[in-house]
Every structure is written in C-alpha cells, then in structure tokens.
Amino acid sequence: MIDLTGVSKIYQIGTVEVRALDGVDLRVDDGEFVVVLGPSGSGKTTLLNIIGALDTPTEGSVSVGGRDITEASRSELFALRRQTVSFIFQSFNLFPGLTALENVEFGMDVASKRGVTDPVSVLTSVGLGDRIGHFPHELSGGEQQRVAIARALATGNPVLLADEPTGELDFRTGAQILELLIEQASDNRAVLVVTHNREISRIADRVVEMSSGRIISDGPPQGGKTPLSELHW
Ligand code: ADP
C-alpha cells in the first residue's frame, strides 16, 4: 500500500543543508499498525507529509495505493490527498464554526464521499452519538480528537496517518484514541502513527525508529506486541 525507496528530503537554508530525510526505504501493507518513533527533529513529520502527498521528496520514489506519487500530476496528487489518505493531527484541526456532524460531513464532501457512509453512525461508533450538534469549543480535547478521527474514518480512505494523535490528551483518553486506531488496522487500513513516546510503540505490529532522518530499526516492538490495557505513560 505504501512503498518508499531511497527517499531523501533536503532543505537548503542559506548555506546550510538540512537532511530531514536521508535515504529512507519503507513498505507498509494494508492492515498494518505501524508506529514511527523518534525524537523531535528526526524526520517523522516530514515522512508523514511525503506519504500524504503534502510534501515532495528531493530524491527517491514514493508509491501510495499502487500509484507512484513522485510521477503524479497535480490533479492526481489532489485526488490522492482526498481519496486515499486521511490525516489526524495532534491539534485536531477542526473547523470551529462547524458542529461535530458538520466537520465530519465537510471531510466527506472534500473526499467526494458524501452518501458512502452515514456520518451520524461514524460519530456514534467513536462514542459521540450524543454530541453531534456540539461545536468544537463545547467538547473536551479527547472528544475533539474523536471528531477528527470520525472525519478521517467517514471517508473510508485506506491509509490513515496520525501525527502525535494522543499528544494533547491524558492517558485514559489517549488510550481510547489508540484503540480506535488499532480497530482501523483490523479493518485492513494501513495505519501509521507518529510519536516520540516509546511506551505507545509497544502496541504496534511494527516499530520504525528514526534518528537524524534515517530509519535506524524496523521490526516488532522490543519485548513483543503488548495489549493496550497494559500500557502506562
Ligand atoms: P520530527 O517530526 O521528527 O520532529 P521533522 O520532520 O519536523 O521532525 O523535521 C526534521 C528536520 O527537518 C528538522 O531538523 C527540522 O528542523 C527540519 N525541517 C522540517 N521542515 C523544514 C522546513 N520547512 N524548512 C527547513 N527545515 C525543516
């Protein structure tokens, strides 16, 4: 589903060259729950943005859903962003003037998926059936993140990219969010979660560890995959 070969991203700032990504090879299959782990500045967000076609690599090839996006036209990239990939951000990125339901419907409109799924049932499935008419400021952080997840899920897009999705949340709420993401992988989506929190990586099928723009390890979590209920952070 996702295939990166020899991907580098170089920023030139004056005379200084920053290698945000440096020769990354990565393959993620449908149904895999992958945690990308690394300290701040290691290239995690750049990696996610390149997979989601929000940014382009300086070198290397990137294929998402069988399509080489480094060769794609602007309109093909636009379609990929709308119809293949869904993003979940640490800061939720909800529209403040839209209700929970309207935020989800807006996401479906952008992806041309209105009518494919019932937005109310998606909000109900993330535990917000009684909050659909609420505006973001009337919801807790965890509830806002669940609206953002519902918006990502309602499109039915097969690739789910989450950048520090539990960063703003307390442990119990964060665990609920992770449970929803694990379910998405069980539903045969490719799920990539970026975090600097090693504890979260224990629940993954695979942990891709980054340092200075490179993948320094890629495999099952140390000590094996741990049930969410045994996590502490
Ligand atoms: P992470 O998500 O792991 O914190 P990032 O992918 O955001 O790391 O950044 C990786 C490196 O690339 C950092 O050194 C960062 O300063 C640099 N970087 C990211 N975006 C830009 C940009 N637009 N211009 C210049 N340097 C950037």
Side-chain angles (χ1 to χ4, degrees):
M1 171 50 65
I2 299 167
D3 209 343
L4 282 74
T5 309
V7 169
S8 295
K9 178 72 184 184
I10 301 163
Y11 293 107
Q12 188 80 38
I13 301 158
T15 54
V16 180
E17 189 183 274
V18 178
R19 284 192 170 256
L21 293 178
D22 190 6
V24 167
D25 297 321
L26 178 69
R27 190 191 151 90
V28 179
D29 288 323
D30 295 339
E32 268 195 301
F33 184 90
V34 175
V35 165
V36 180
L37 184 68
S40 179
S42 58
K44 306 182 300 294
T45 299
T46 306
L47 178 71
L48 223 56
N49 287 345
I50 285 179
I51 294 170
L54 295 179
D55 204 347
T56 50
T58 315
E59 291 163 9
S61 68
V62 181
S63 135
V64 178
R67 181 81 185 86
D68 182 345
I69 64 173
T70 39
E71 299 288 323
S73 66
R74 283 173 64 90
S75 63
E76 285 170 327
L77 287 180
F78 191 56
L80 178 98
R81 273 183 229 119
R82 293 185 313 152
Q83 298 183 334
T84 305
V85 177
S86 290
F87 268 95
I88 297 165
F89 300 93
Q90 177 174 3
S91 50
F92 324 135
N93 288 6
L94 299 177
F95 290 100
L98 301 182
T99 64
L101 178 60
E102 288 164 348
N103 264 283
V104 174
E105 288 174 338
F106 182 83
M108 297 175 78
D109 285 342
V110 169
S112 309
K113 297 283 174 64
R114 186 69 87 104
V116 173
T117 35
D118 171 17
V120 175
S121 63
V122 179
L123 279 160
T124 304
S125 75
V126 301
L128 292 177
D130 56 350
R131 295 280 196 279
I132 62 170
H134 288 226
F135 290 94
H137 75 271
E138 297 168 336
L139 299 168
S140 70
E143 287 165 346
Q144 289 182 54
Q145 190 57 299
R146 279 188 273 161
V147 176
I149 291 183
R151 181 175 59 185
L153 302 186
T155 61
N157 287 353
V159 175
L160 199 54
L161 305 175
D163 198 352
E164 300 275 6
T166 61
E168 300 276 333
L169 308 175
D170 60 67
F171 171 76
R172 200 175 64 84
T173 317
Q176 289 168 355
I177 298 303
L178 291 174
E179 190 167 13
L180 285 168
L181 295 176
I182 291 169
E183 277 172 27
Q184 299 318 306
S186 313
D187 235 9
N188 213 31
R189 293 198 169 91
V191 180
L192 254 89
V193 178
V194 156
T195 181
H196 62 274
N197 186 335
R198 183 170 295 277
E199 184 67 9
I200 290 177
S201 71
R202 296 172 63 209
I203 61 168
D205 297 320
R206 240 172 92 196
V207 183
V208 171
E209 197 161 353
M210 298 193 67
S211 174
S212 305
R214 291 169 182 260
I215 293 179
I216 54 168
S217 66
D218 181 351
Q222 282 171 1
K225 186 172 169 178
T226 306
L228 185 59
S229 57
E230 290 176 24
L231 229 58
H232 306 281
W233 82 80

